[in-house]
Amino acid sequence: MAADNDARKPAADAPQPEGTTGPANGGDGAPATAPAGRPAGPEGSGDAQATAAGGPAAEAGIHPAPAGPGVTAAGTTGGERLRFVGAATRRIARGIDLDEIVLGLCRATVPTFADAILVYLRDPLPVGDERPVGPVVLRLRRTDQLPEHVRGMGEGDGPDFAAERPEPVPDLAGCAAERCEVRIGGPLAEVLRGVRPVFGDSSAARAALPELLGDDRPVPDRHRTILAPLRGRRRVIGAAVFVRRPDRAAFENDDLLVAAQLATHTALGVDKAVLYGREVYIADELQRTMLPDSLPQPTGVRLASRYLPAAETARVGGDWYDAIPLPGNRVALVVGDVMGHSMTSAAIMGQLRTTAQTLAGLDLPPAEVLHHLDEQAQRLGSDRMATCMYAVYDPVAHRIVIANAGHPPPILLHRGGRAEVLRVPPGAPIGVGGVDFEAVELDAPAGATLLLYTDGLVESRIRDVWTGIEQLRERLIETARLTGPNPPPLEPLCDEVLGMLGPGDRDDDIALLAARFEGIAPSDVAYWFLDPRPQTARQARRLARRALTRWGLEELTDSVELLVSEVITNAVRYAERPITLRLLRTDVLRCEVGDDVPQLPRLRQARPSDEGGRGLYLVNRLARRWGATRLSTGKVVWFELALPPRAR
């Protein structure tokens, strides 16, 4: 690589800037000045100086004409260098993500400071206090250089301008290796460890550049370069190579200070972007795992949901929704809202949601569920407040039981298009403590749609909550009018509901849960109470056989009689109160046996000498699915069988 002209001081005499602090100055706080003997730029070139000093054109990313021969990159005075560094660092600091920061460095330096630049970053980039294992690998993140059609413009005013075209900068994308593994103790590792930028014609850089760019891809002859390590808060995270054409003024000692400042601000920005990206990833994962990946589709009800964060840049919040299948084809519908929009709110929401799922598994009444959620919120802290709506829908009885804890009331859209705000006692928010919750039982006619939502849907800075509820009710009526006597499809209905939000009309997270009641016809249900006697198993077999005959499912008689007999026999052995037997014909045949014993049966492998213990083994082998659920009054053991093809 050719040496710079003799006007520049040797690299050994150059000041050694710190890689992380200090403005681009001479080292004592005074602005650095151009070395003696360097030709100064023309006094009248105000536009060029403004651009080089980081004026509006430079900050906007416009590529001005490069300085002519003999003119330094950032001007000829220390003040101009400071203005350039200030504008460049402001542009770099404006970036939030990794690409914006690296692009800011490239656009701020090309062509004002250099004709081309290569930016290498570690792959993978370390985050925070992580200590990477394995070798250090640098990967080419971005290259930038003056476009071919711009090169040479504005470099002269006389007729000789066309005859003095500068030598073009080769395509750096093809002159640099995409990946470089830094050898321990090698020349590149030594330069990176030194932190300070070095001239390309120094002995250290002459040995390090081939390792970085590739042995067979050297920097073109007579081009001047600066190799600047990028050091973050704790470690070197990359390197930048600044390149100038031979016809342009060589890099000077003060340009090392400029390169050091650019490298420092870029490295700190990259550190910031990596940490920000990690926080966004954690927040997104936290919110995603707190909400259900998909809703169940229990028999007798169809479900749809929506969740919108308050802002795309802060996707975490305290809103949640859930649908929990319960015994007897019932389903619990839950919507809640923890106060706040932080990761703490999301964490509290996750704990309350888990608690609600556990309580639902115990089949507690809605008011009891809210009471236990209130106790849990108080255990989490004195200021942990939340609102919640908890409802249980029974498709067999066509009824719904709802309890409210300070949440906006649900809206029921009837099949004919009428929408009503359900009168549910408001209750106090969860976390207040010492309050009772009241549940109401309402009709849930087939074809009706229940909407549970959080206050972000109906309340904002431009409208109060009751105005928003009335607007939501009117929106549902308008949507139902479009489909006539048939209820509107659930997914488009949710989209229409969210369409009522105008620009700037969303200040909070939004959780929406829609449930379309379909119910189970009474003709598809068979229900009996049986006394726990030795003859009960035979009675249960006879009743099940009659129900299957009525439904035209004789093909399932043998399997159902065997499985019912096994489950009923186990219930009779321990039950003291009447046993319930229920058969439901939907898309499958479901059998449920309930008793007053809370202990759940456990599948085990019976030994050859055991007289019992094989009943659940038969259920597990013959049934499509089976399970047992503990209730507040005992338990329910259920199993399902697939219907014959002709009966589906």
Side-chain angles (χ1 to χ4, degrees):
M1 184 179 301
D4 296 336
N5 58 43
D6 296 333
R8 195 187 71 196
K9 296 181 182 180
D13 297 333
Q16 300 298 321
E18 292 295 328
T20 56
T21 58
N25 52 40
D28 56 356
T33 59
R38 302 300 294 169
E43 292 293 335
S45 58
D47 293 340
Q49 291 180 6
T51 301
E59 290 196 56
I62 301 175
H63 281 173
V71 180
T72 58
T76 59
T77 66
E80 290 171 338
R81 277 193 171 89
L82 287 176
R83 285 193 293 273
F84 164 73
V85 171
T89 53
R90 284 195 301 272
R91 184 186 185 105
I92 295 170
R94 280 200 298 265
I96 295 179
D97 61 29
L98 199 59
D99 291 331
E100 289 179 348
I101 292 170
V102 175
L103 178 63
L105 170 66
C106 295
R107 295 296 171 83
T109 56
V110 177
T112 308
F113 181 71
D115 295 308
I117 184 175
L118 300 96
V119 181
Y120 282 84
L121 295 178
R122 292 183 67 163
D123 184 26
L125 279 166
V127 181
D129 295 328
E130 288 183 357
R131 294 188 176 275
V133 296
V136 176
V137 175
L138 299 182
R139 189 173 296 277
L140 184 62
R141 184 75 184 194
R142 187 179 181 89
T143 63
D144 201 3
Q145 61 189 56
L146 200 63
E148 183 66 35
H149 68 278
V150 180
R151 297 171 192 164
M153 295 177 58
E155 304 219 10
D157 297 325
D160 297 334
F161 166 63
E164 297 181 358
R165 293 286 182 180
E167 180 178 338
V169 179
D171 182 14
L172 288 177
C175 295
E178 289 289 333
R179 182 179 181 275
C180 167
E181 183 173 323
V182 181
R183 298 192 299 269
I184 299 177
L188 181 57
E190 293 299 322
V191 172
L192 297 179
R193 187 179 295 111
V195 178
R196 298 176 176 84
V198 294
F199 289 117
D201 58 351
S202 65
S203 58
R206 283 199 300 268
L209 282 173
E211 182 181 350
L212 179 64
L213 306 180
D215 294 333
D216 56 341
R217 302 177 182 181
V219 175
D221 291 341
R222 301 173 54 224
H223 284 72
R224 287 81 175 235
T225 59
I226 288 180
L227 175 57
L230 303 179
R231 179 174 179 82
R233 291 173 176 82
R234 293 175 176 83
R235 59 182 68 84
V236 173
I237 59 174
V241 180
F242 303 93
V243 183
R244 281 189 187 173
R245 299 189 309 257
D247 61 290
R248 188 170 177 178
F251 287 116
E252 299 176 352
N253 294 331
D254 287 339
D255 291 328
L256 290 177
L257 295 171
V258 175
Q261 285 289 341
L262 297 177
T264 297
H265 284 275
T266 301
L268 294 177
V270 169
D271 261 357
K272 174 190 67 177
V274 172
L275 290 173
Y276 174 77
R278 173 60 62 88
E279 290 182 357
V280 170
Y281 171 78
I282 293 174
D284 284 345
E285 285 297 300
L286 178 63
Q287 185 70 42
R288 185 185 63 81
T289 54
M290 293 302 179
L291 296 175
D293 293 333
S294 61
L295 291 174
Q297 294 298 332
T299 303
V301 61
R302 295 184 181 179
L303 303 172
S305 64
R306 294 290 187 275
Y307 174 80
L308 292 179
E312 290 298 323
T313 56
R315 299 183 61 88
V316 293
D319 292 18
W320 90 91
Y321 62 88
D322 215 341
I324 309 167
L326 300 177
N329 284 87
R330 294 173 301 145
V331 59
L333 308 173
V334 191
V335 168
D337 183 2
V338 177
M339 295 182 182
H341 305 92
S342 63
M343 293 181 66
T344 302
S345 301
I348 296 172
M349 176 268 287
Q351 296 183 68
L352 293 180
R353 177 175 178 244
T354 302
T355 303
Q357 290 179 329
T358 304
L359 296 171
L362 298 177
D363 201 29
L364 297 180
E368 286 294 317
V369 171
L370 294 184
H371 174 73
H372 289 293
L373 284 176
D374 180 60
E375 292 181 337
Q376 174 68 6
Q378 294 179 68
R379 285 190 290 268
L380 295 176
S382 58
D383 57 344
R384 308 309 189 193
M385 306 285 289
T387 63
C388 183
M389 183 76 66
Y390 189 94
V392 175
Y393 169 63
D394 188 342
V396 176
H398 296 268
R399 304 282 287 178
I400 187 168
V401 181
I402 307 176
N404 188 9
H407 205 76
I411 297 180
L412 185 65
L413 177 63
H414 291 269
R415 189 183 185 91
R418 181 173 62 91
E420 67 169 316
V421 180
L422 298 182
R423 297 180 177 275
V424 180
I430 291 172
V432 172
V435 296
D436 292 330
F437 299 98
E438 183 180 353
V440 294
E441 185 173 356
L442 305 171
D443 286 330
T449 304
L450 181 71
L451 262 73
L452 304 178
Y453 52 90
T454 55
D455 57 359
L457 180 64
V458 295
E459 185 179 22
S460 68
R461 66 172 70 96
I462 63 175
R463 62 182 176 185
D464 62 79
V465 62
W466 287 107
T467 301
I469 291 175
E470 182 61 24
Q471 292 178 358
L472 174 59
R473 192 184 70 85
E474 294 174 354
R475 185 69 173 232
L476 292 174
I477 294 175
E478 294 175 0
T479 304
R481 188 178 297 120
L482 299 176
T483 58
N486 298 319
L490 274 186
E491 296 294 340
L493 178 64
C494 292
D495 294 334
E496 287 293 328
V497 167
L498 296 181
M500 66 179 285
L501 300 171
D505 196 18
R506 182 154 57 90
D507 307 326
D508 199 357
D509 305 329
I510 296 175
L512 173 66
L513 180 62
R516 170 72 44 76
F517 301 143
E518 295 181 338
I520 299 176
S523 58
D524 292 328
V525 181
Y527 194 89
W528 304 278
F529 286 93
L530 306 175
D531 293 327
R533 301 177 303 172
Q535 301 85 354
T536 301
R538 182 177 58 188
Q539 180 184 4
R541 290 194 297 269
R542 183 176 65 255
L543 295 174
R545 184 169 56 252
R546 290 177 180 176
L548 295 176
T549 302
R550 185 171 70 251
W551 291 333
L553 301 177
E554 292 86 352
E555 299 177 32
L556 300 179
T557 300
D558 292 340
S559 298
V560 171
E561 286 188 4
L562 175 60
L563 299 184
V564 165
S565 179
E566 293 294 340
V567 177
I568 287 289
T569 299
N570 189 68
V572 168
R573 182 177 302 173
Y574 304 104
E576 297 180 357
R577 298 180 181 178
I579 298 170
T580 60
L581 171 63
R582 183 162 72 169
L583 297 180
L584 297 99
R585 183 187 61 169
T586 56
D587 55 340
V588 296
L589 180 67
R590 183 182 177 99
C591 175
E592 299 175 350
V593 176
D595 58 53
D596 60 342
V597 181
Q599 286 79 17
L600 299 182
R602 180 170 56 89
L603 181 65
R604 64 185 181 89
Q605 188 71 34
R607 294 173 297 181
S609 58
D610 292 341
E611 295 184 0
R614 297 173 178 83
L616 287 182
Y617 179 78
L618 292 174
V619 174
N620 185 62
R621 291 299 299 262
L622 297 179
R624 177 185 177 186
R625 290 195 313 149
W626 77 277
T629 304
R630 183 178 285 112
L631 307 177
S632 57
T633 57
K635 70 174 180 294
V636 168
V637 180
W638 57 270
F639 62 85
E640 293 178 352
L641 294 174
L643 297 180
R646 62 176 181 79
R648 295 174 187 172

